Amino acid sequence: MIPRNPTEAHRNFFQEVHEVVRLVPAGRVTTYGAIAHYLGARHGARMVGWAMMAAHTADAYVPAHRVINRNGQLTGRLHFATPTAMQEALEAEGVRVLDDEVQDFRRLFWDPTTELE
DNA sequence: GTACTGACGGCTT
DNA sequence: TAAGCCGCCAGTA
């Protein structure tokens, strides 16, 4: 667990989210809700997405392309450098993406709550 | 100071 | 089983 600094609570929230995303293995994907649940669901899944929006401002690299919504759709692809960057990054890792939707999503799903315990 | 919006998810109808 | 509505927290107008 990552210690929190009361003076920078939201910044640590970003760090926690980014930390979890970095743990996602290449070729696997996770969801906003799974991360929110892993962090105790104290913030809505929306906050996780909001934290992802700030992923590019993080010092360390955050594989944001491995985080998608619960439907397996690449809802955040428009926030990448190019609209196709997210899909291409996933396909480069062996994840099949068709029409902005991860194929065989249920099998590729990586849940931090059960994987990290 | 109030209201709307957003990389979403779960519950209810 | 599918579709719709409401809630989470923070930022911006």
Side-chain angles (χ1 to χ4, degrees), chain A residues 29-30 32 52 63-69 72-93 95 97 100 102:
Chain A
V29 293
T30 190
Y32 303 96
M52 295 312 300
H65 59 276
R66 293 176 198 156
V67 185
I68 57 186
N69 74 351
Q73 299 175 238
L74 302 130
T75 53
R77 76 194 154 90
L78 294 176
H79 291 263
F80 279 76
T82 65
T84 57
M86 188 174 187
Q87 177 173 338
E88 290 180 14
L90 286 171
E91 291 181 331
E93 295 178 355
V95 179
V97 180
D100 296 338
V102 174

Side-chain angles (χ1 to χ4, degrees), chain A residues 6-7 9 11 13 26 29-30 32 44-46 49 52-53 72 74 78 84 90 92 98-99 103 109 112 114:
Chain A
T7 60
R11 198 186 194 301
F13 168 63
V29 293
T30 190
Y32 303 96
R46 284 195 118 120
M52 295 312 300
M53 191 183 81
L74 302 130
L78 294 176
T84 57
L90 286 171
L98 182 61
D99 196 25
Q103 301 300 298
F109 177 58
T114 58

Side-chain angles (χ1 to χ4, degrees), chain A residues 1-2 11-26 28-43 48 51-52 55 58 60-68 109-117:
Chain A
M1 192 57 99
I2 300 119
R11 198 186 194 301
N12 273 291
F13 168 63
F14 290 153
Q15 291 185 351
E16 288 185 61
V17 173
H18 297 166
E19 183 77 20
V20 175
V21 175
R22 270 184 231 122
L23 295 175
V24 180
R28 301 293 294 280
V29 293
T30 190
T31 70
Y32 303 96
I35 295 173
H37 185 265
Y38 174 72
L39 295 179
R42 50 183 184 278
H43 326 277
V48 177
M52 295 312 300
Y61 170 68
V62 179
H65 59 276
R66 293 176 198 156
V67 185
I68 57 186
F109 177 58
W110 185 86
D111 186 358
T113 305
T114 58
E115 299 291 342
L116 300 176
E117 198 141 7

